[in-house]
Amino acid sequence: MNKLLSLTFTLVSFFATSAYAFNEVSNGSEIRERVGTSGLASRNLSHLKVAILDNGFRGYLPGTGMLPASAELIEGPLKVPETSAHGLGMAQILWEATGKDARGPKFYLINTNGFTNFKAAVDFVINNNVDIVLYSQIWTFGSNFDGKGFINEAVNRATNAGVIWINAAGNLGGQVYNGNVSESGQKFELRNSVDENAFMLTLTWNDFNESEASCSVKDLNLEFYDAKGTLLKSGSLVQSGVAPDPQDASDKRTCYARETIAVNNLSRGSYYLKVTQKSQNFGGRDSFRVILTENKLGTLEFPGADPRFEIMPPADNANVFTVGEKSAFSAMGPTSDARIKPDVVLENAQVSFTNGSQTAGSSNAAAMVAGAVVILKNAIPEFTGQQLIEYAQSLRTQVLVPAGLVKVPPPPYWLDQLIPVGGTVRQDPGTFRLVILSRENPTRLPQLRGFNLQMRRQNDIVACVENMSTCQVFSADQDYSVKAPWIEFRQYKNGSTADGPGTWIMPAK
């Protein structure tokens, strides 16, 4: 049975540029209000380990207060130049959401540019017992649109080791065209609204498995035409089940079910794409995707695109908690196997920095939620990523109602009989513990009589572990010695305050 937790977020619409150049976050208090960590974010989190997996941390200067002094920059086995500050921004947002305490959490900034580095980062996370991973990145290939494939297989190694993986949904809203291979050969429209545009087109199809070394034997091609039907560009890779010769730069063979076309200096107007079969081994259920990666956001449009099925790996993974933002650019599901993604949509992911930059999008949203999850993990050490996912799924909605971080969902069936007539259930706002308020002495409740408990004062507290196997009485002014006191019973009478008598205390560390 899941612990009684709830992450709840509200909705609003906002989008800003994705250019990242930071010094410090300037609206930290607003961020904490949005994810419900205000007043909970001043704890010592130094014992928690958080890994930020990203393609760049350009501009990070240790010892300058950008992040806790314990933060470490981890280079992957392939040395890639720092071309982006995106990862640094994600780490700073996450730290702000936790309260920006100099003691932590412990940050690992891990360069994952390229699959070799990504795979090595997963190894590092597992070997160093990292608690939470934030990955505000997606891959435009490597999955069959169903949460599987070799990228997700790497992620599963981390989640199977107990890592809580938080992933951005990606900002591909309206930029994904899904089709059936049986419809290949048909042209579909692409509209460009500005001159001198530049972008990338990626064609991918469902011929991936759990090994990156396994080569596709199905071959599609992508062709790009102008309005007059003139072929402007075409893919050139060959998928024949054979890996390329690493010593031959002209070898067009590839293992990946993917084609890419880079377009530069494109004029305004309508254009057309066509997916063609180069091999004749496709089945009736085979499908493809064409993905736009824009340089000028909002300038390109697939008029025939279905505004769903936009979730890329590893955001489509069933074992990761996927976060989106309510904006036209944040990607939406479901996945091809009919799972709801993202798991949660944040209302407002706008972040301001002291150098005047403003950003938003699913990357920011994931960083904010990851900060809230750090607070949860600190309060409940045994809290797992699967519990978080299952709770979101139990709501059967991608949008969680506004309430703040520390609210209790409706009591599950096993708790129904514990709430006495005339009583109520609440949550201690500082501890995430469930509190049952009773109009009679809790020790006389049928569920507790077998423990032979005695309350000496009305504000004494009965604390029980979740499965009710152990219960003890404590004075309201002393710390608990019961491990994980998930359920408390307290007495209140007519005329008492709504929360009942006694002082609400923190559990012993």
Side-chain angles (χ1 to χ4, degrees):
M1 183 55 62
N2 291 347
K3 307 301 183 191
L4 297 179
L5 313 170
S6 169
L7 267 177
T8 52
F9 305 101
T10 53
L11 284 175
V12 88
S13 176
F14 184 86
F15 181 82
T17 66
S18 58
Y20 284 86
F22 312 109
N23 24 33
E24 291 184 273
V25 173
S26 61
N27 64 333
S29 60
E30 294 177 8
I31 290 171
R32 291 186 287 277
E33 286 289 338
R34 291 175 202 160
V35 294
T37 58
S38 293
L40 301 173
S42 59
R43 319 275 174 79
N44 184 356
L45 306 173
S46 60
H47 60 289
L48 290 173
K49 297 179 180 179
V50 179
I52 313 296
L53 276 55
D54 212 284
N55 289 350
F57 302 90
R58 181 170 50 82
Y60 173 59
L61 299 173
T64 61
M66 286 182 168
L67 291 172
S70 61
E72 292 185 43
L73 186 62
I74 309 296
E75 288 289 347
L78 296 181
K79 307 303 180 192
V80 180
E82 291 280 3
T83 59
S84 169
H86 185 268
L88 173 59
M90 297 304 100
Q92 290 179 302
I93 294 168
L94 192 160
W95 192 31
E96 284 286 349
T98 66
K100 202 175 180 181
D101 192 302
R103 294 171 293 184
K106 166 71 176 179
F107 281 97
Y108 295 106
L109 312 179
I110 309 179
N111 190 325
T112 53
N113 199 330
F115 185 73
T116 298
N117 284 341
F118 182 81
K119 191 173 181 179
V122 171
D123 292 336
F124 180 93
V125 163
I126 295 171
N127 294 336
N128 287 273
N129 299 312
V130 168
D131 299 292
I132 296 167
V133 162
L134 170 62
Y135 189 56
S136 285
Q137 300 278 338
I138 55 168
W139 293 67
T140 55
F141 69 99
S143 162
N144 297 330
F145 326 137
D146 57 359
K148 299 186 174 76
F150 67 89
I151 294 167
N152 281 313
E153 183 65 19
V155 172
N156 289 339
R157 291 194 294 113
T159 57
N160 290 341
V163 177
I164 300 174
W165 190 290
I166 311 294
N167 214 101
N171 296 326
L172 290 177
Q175 299 175 58
V176 181
Y177 185 97
N178 291 277
N180 294 321
V181 174
S182 60
E183 301 169 349
S184 61
Q186 301 178 13
K187 291 182 181 180
F188 55 94
E189 187 179 8
L190 168 66
R191 294 176 184 167
N192 173 34
S193 62
V194 299
D195 287 324
E196 300 180 359
N197 212 346
F199 54 91
M200 179 77 72
L201 292 166
T202 301
L203 166 68
T204 183
W205 55 98
N206 58 333
D207 196 25
F208 290 94
N209 61 31
E210 284 68 31
S211 172
E212 70 273 18
S214 178
C215 295
S216 175
V217 297
K218 298 179 178 181
D219 195 352
L220 290 180
N221 194 33
L222 180 64
E223 299 171 352
F224 182 52
Y225 295 85
D226 67 13
K228 296 179 181 179
T230 303
L231 179 64
L232 302 179
K233 282 203 170 186
S234 176
S236 59
L237 298 177
V238 176
Q239 290 82 14
S240 60
V242 180
D245 180 355
Q247 305 301 320
D248 183 0
S250 64
D251 191 345
K252 297 299 183 181
R253 293 175 298 180
T254 177
C255 278
Y256 296 143
R258 177 184 65 161
E259 291 281 349
T260 60
I261 294 176
V263 178
N264 296 293
N265 199 28
L266 192 71
S267 301
R268 285 172 293 165
S270 291
Y271 297 84
Y272 296 90
L273 300 172
K274 184 166 70 171
V275 175
T276 60
Q277 296 186 46
K278 295 176 67 177
S279 63
Q280 302 305 312
N281 52 352
F282 287 91
R285 295 187 177 182
D286 283 327
S287 58
F288 68 83
R289 278 179 174 171
V290 178
I291 302 147
L292 279 170
T293 306
E294 298 179 290
N295 286 6
K296 301 175 181 179
L297 295 177
T299 62
L300 296 163
E301 179 187 3
F302 280 140
D306 186 341
R308 301 177 298 163
F309 304 102
E310 300 165 337
I311 303 294
M312 303 293 157
D316 61 358
N317 192 314
N319 299 318
V320 309
F321 194 69
T322 304
V323 183
E325 185 199 26
K326 189 189 176 186
S327 76
F329 296 94
S330 188
M332 296 296 291
T335 59
S336 67
D337 55 334
R339 288 178 293 107
I340 291 177
K341 286 286 183 177
D343 297 288
V344 67
V345 177
L346 192 61
E347 178 179 359
N348 184 353
Q350 181 182 5
V351 176
S352 301
F353 293 86
T354 54
N355 64 357
S357 298
Q358 285 194 335
T359 65
S362 66
S363 290
N364 286 9
M368 294 178 190
V369 170
V373 174
V374 169
I375 299 296
L376 281 172
K377 185 68 173 176
N378 183 57
I380 307 170
E382 58 268 47
F383 169 67
T384 68
Q386 194 59 38
Q387 289 172 320
L388 185 62
I389 294 167
E390 288 174 359
Y391 177 70
Q393 292 173 345
S394 73
L395 298 179
R396 300 192 180 279
T397 176
Q398 297 184 51
V399 179
L400 307 189
V401 298
L405 177 63
V406 287
K407 303 295 181 183
V408 180
Y413 72 91
W414 56 265
L415 190 58
D416 289 347
Q417 301 304 313
L418 295 181
I419 303 175
V421 175
T424 186
V425 60
R426 290 183 174 274
Q427 178 125 19
D428 184 329
T431 65
F432 300 89
R433 288 196 304 268
L434 190 69
V435 179
I436 295 174
L437 301 175
S438 171
R439 290 186 181 277
E440 64 176 294
N441 186 326
T443 63
R444 297 174 186 170
L445 295 174
Q447 297 86 356
L448 301 180
R449 286 175 184 167
F451 293 102
N452 297 317
L453 303 171
Q454 290 187 342
M455 293 176 61
R456 292 180 172 81
R457 295 183 296 180
Q458 182 180 314
N459 65 347
D460 283 352
I461 298 168
V462 179
C464 304
V465 295
E466 184 183 46
N467 61 9
M468 301 293 290
S469 62
T470 302
C471 295
Q472 293 178 252
V473 176
F474 296 94
S475 171
D477 58 3
Q478 74 177 106
D479 284 343
Y480 293 113
S481 60
V482 176
K483 182 180 179 181
W486 291 111
I487 304 174
E488 296 178 1
F489 294 84
R490 305 184 188 195
Q491 184 179 4
Y492 77 100
K493 296 183 178 180
N494 291 338
S496 299
T497 64
D499 290 337
T503 304
W504 292 36
I505 60 176
M506 292 295 296
K509 295 295 183 183

